[in-house]
Amino acid sequence: MRYDTIVVGGGPAGATTALTLAKAGARVLLVERRRLPRYKACGGCLSRRVERLLPFDPSKLIEERITGLTFTWRGRDSVEATFSEPVALMIWRNTFDQALCDRAVDAGAELQDGQAIRGVRASANHVEVDLEGRTVTADFLVGADGVHSVVARDLFPDRTPPGLVALDAEVPLTSAGEAYLKGRVILDVGHTPGGYGWAFPKGGVASVGVAVDRRSAKRVQSCLTAFLSSSGFSDRGATRTTGALIPIHSHGTRSLHRGRALLVGDAARLVDPFLGEGIYYAIQSGQHAAQTIVTDGGRNGDLSSYQAAVSRTIIPELEAAGRLSRTAHRAPWLWFQVLKRRRTVIDLYRKVLMGEASYRWFEDMVWAGTPRPIVMLFSLWAGRGALSDRGQRSGSW
Ligand SMILES: Cc1cc2nc3c(=O)[nH]c(=O)nc-3n(C[C@H](O)[C@H](O)[C@H](O)COP(=O)(O)OP(=O)(O)OC[C@H]3O[C@@H](n4cnc5c(N)ncnc54)[C@H](O)[C@@H]3O)c2cc1C
């Protein structure tokens, strides 16, 4: 059978793409390497704005509603903020991703899980996918196969290696730990070169992890141990510790579209460098990809408007998050002083999590009131785009 579109990968990006295409009446094959539900190394933290993109009510999947943020310096010195309504939701990825794939199947997509794509080829009028000893063809291909994407490897050879190396541990909580983390997440800087640490509660278990830049990869285990012990957790009881790469967006826009193929989510490296949030952008890029295929694919086979949509809606946000991360993660002590002295910064960030304001707005507000020469120095240090962008977008949301 020939499909309209083959979507590779059953994570949030692929499931959303397949769901949106199937809803529009397309014949979609969704291929997932692992049997579902599958484990995925992830903190499972959804900023509240994700809810707006979801095709279903996630209430039954929510393990914890987050109303408190605690920022720590090396697990000790802390700045806390508490909000009147949740700013983030905690989920387990196995059930969350399964729910999204179920919606895609309900809408008419064909799901083949436990099947790995081995290689892909694209020609002027179709794509071919090698799937466990057979070849499947389609008009279009969407690579939603995550950080080690086979679609990116075969069709987008100009890829650079992912930016952060992470180690995530599932730590059972004592009753005191559970009470402390109830509705609260901890975000730590100071132990983790070029990155951060997190503790995200899910009932009696916390996802506690660290992410460091690639140059510090060999130290990731000692960074996790240091964060765990300084924050009062113990890694002895960790039920699962998983290493993973986080494909944060790096400066500049690269090609996410080639002929009849598109990349979405982690395969496209659409992870926010400031917080490591990727689920939001996986879903958003999946929706853009499907809309492009439905509208432009059917008309003339030209999918280049996908690149334009991502460049317009997602890349400017990730660029702003990247500039902020270069301050927060490369000069963590300075960033922590900003949080300590200007607690309003945390409330401003709440607006980003809620989807009420953009990262670009947040970036401008963080620097508001800071003498211009200092802003200029930081802008230069944080990336060449910073200065030119700032002029164009002052006051933007
Ligand atoms: C330690 C860690 C913590 C994180 N914490 C958070 C967080 O708290 N909040 C947040 O928003 N983001 C977080 N992220 C980022 C988030 O996990 C990703 O951005 C998100 O999963 C991207 O979704 P995706 O669908 O693009 O890719 P994935 O979720 O990785 O899905 C890709 C799928 O493709 C499948 N696949 C791979 N190769 C093949 C193949 N050859 N054939 C068929 N199928 C294939 C995989 O099995 C997988 O199911 C974290 C990441 C890490 C590593």
Side-chain angles (χ1 to χ4, degrees):
M1 178 178 173
R2 180 169 168 146
Y3 296 91
D4 294 329
T5 303
I6 298 171
V7 180
V8 187
T16 302
T17 311
L19 168 63
T20 313
L21 284 167
K23 269 187 178 168
R27 280 166 304 166
V28 185
L29 174 63
L30 174 60
V31 187
E32 166 53 47
R33 181 168 53 119
R34 313 255 301 277
R35 283 253 172 252
L36 295 175
R38 59 96 176 87
Y39 172 79
K40 161 82 177 85
C42 184
C45 178
L46 305 180
S47 60
R48 271 302 287 287
R49 62 192 175 146
V50 173
E51 258 182 319
R52 294 189 193 168
L53 299 183
L54 286 179
F56 61 89
D57 173 6
S59 305
K60 288 198 179 119
L61 304 175
I62 295 169
E63 301 291 332
E64 197 104 30
R65 289 177 166 75
I66 302 303
T67 49
L69 303 180
T70 297
F71 294 89
T72 54
W73 166 255
R74 292 178 169 266
R76 292 187 297 270
D77 204 2
S78 68
V79 181
E80 298 198 346
T82 303
F83 307 106
S84 55
E85 61 175 328
V87 293
L89 309 169
M90 292 295 157
I91 48 93
W92 289 112
R93 285 293 301 276
N94 54 351
T95 50
F96 180 76
D97 291 13
Q98 168 91 67
L100 276 171
C101 284
D102 286 348
R103 294 305 183 289
V105 170
D106 290 347
E110 179 183 332
L111 170 67
Q112 293 190 17
D113 61 347
Q115 305 270 320
I117 295 286
R118 303 291 176 202
V120 300
R121 290 170 297 283
S123 70
N125 53 13
H126 73 284
V127 292
E128 285 181 356
V129 160
D130 296 329
L131 179 58
E132 310 264 335
R134 58 204 164 94
T135 301
V136 187
T137 57
D139 292 342
F140 302 106
L141 175 68
V142 177
D145 44 346
V147 63
H148 303 292
S149 170
V150 169
V151 178
R153 181 199 68 192
D154 287 1
L155 300 181
F156 297 79
D158 55 339
R159 318 296 297 159
T160 49
L164 292 179
V165 177
L167 204 53
D168 182 55
E170 279 173 26
V171 179
L173 294 171
T174 59
S175 49
E178 194 175 337
Y180 176 60
L181 275 186
K182 184 85 199 141
R184 176 167 296 278
V185 299
I186 298 175
L187 295 166
D188 182 77
V189 288
H191 279 308
T192 42
Y196 46 86
W198 65 86
F200 293 166
K202 291 167 189 129
V205 179
S207 160
V208 185
V210 293
V212 298
D213 59 32
R214 276 189 301 126
R215 279 169 305 177
S216 312
K218 287 190 177 144
R219 291 168 53 198
V220 68
Q221 176 65 65
S222 59
C223 292
L224 178 64
T225 304
F227 174 48
L228 282 163
S229 57
S230 65
S231 310
F233 299 105
S234 162
D235 62 351
R236 272 169 303 171
T239 49
R240 190 197 307 248
T241 303
T242 315
L245 298 174
I246 305 185
I248 53 168
H249 171 77
S250 58
H251 192 58
T253 307
R254 61 183 54 76
S255 173
L256 306 178
H257 150 249
R258 189 152 295 170
R260 295 181 160 262
L262 301 176
L263 294 179
V264 294
D266 274 15
R269 297 196 55 171
L270 298 178
V271 178
D272 152 10
F274 183 65
L275 192 64
E277 181 178 23
I279 298 168
Y280 179 78
Y281 302 103
I283 295 174
Q284 198 182 15
S285 59
Q287 290 177 343
H288 282 321
Q291 279 149 11
T292 301
I293 291 171
V294 169
T295 52
D296 297 357
R299 218 167 27 230
N300 52 17
D302 177 7
L303 303 183
S304 55
S305 63
Y306 168 69
Q307 183 94 42
V310 172
S311 298
R312 192 177 62 251
T313 58
I314 298 179
I315 300 298
E317 286 296 276
L318 299 183
E319 294 271 315
R323 289 188 293 272
L324 284 162
S325 84
R326 284 189 278 277
T327 306
H329 304 147
R330 288 189 199 163
W333 185 83
L334 180 78
W335 176 246
F336 192 72
Q337 299 313 310
V338 170
L339 294 178
K340 262 182 112 168
R341 284 169 172 69
R342 287 186 56 210
R343 283 166 183 253
T344 48
V345 167
I346 303 175
D347 196 51
L348 299 173
Y349 194 56
R350 183 196 66 83
K351 286 178 181 272
V352 179
L353 297 174
M354 297 297 288
E356 295 167 8
S358 68
Y359 256 118
R360 286 163 287 166
W361 172 84
F362 175 63
E363 184 191 18
D364 283 343
M365 297 305 286
V366 166
W367 293 116
T370 308
R372 184 150 174 81
I374 293 177
V375 176
M376 288 177 73
L377 275 175
F378 263 99
S379 299
L380 280 171
W381 184 53
R384 287 191 311 136
L387 273 176
S388 50
D389 289 358
R390 289 182 71 82
Q392 289 164 17
R393 61 163 198 276
S394 65
S396 64
W397 281 71

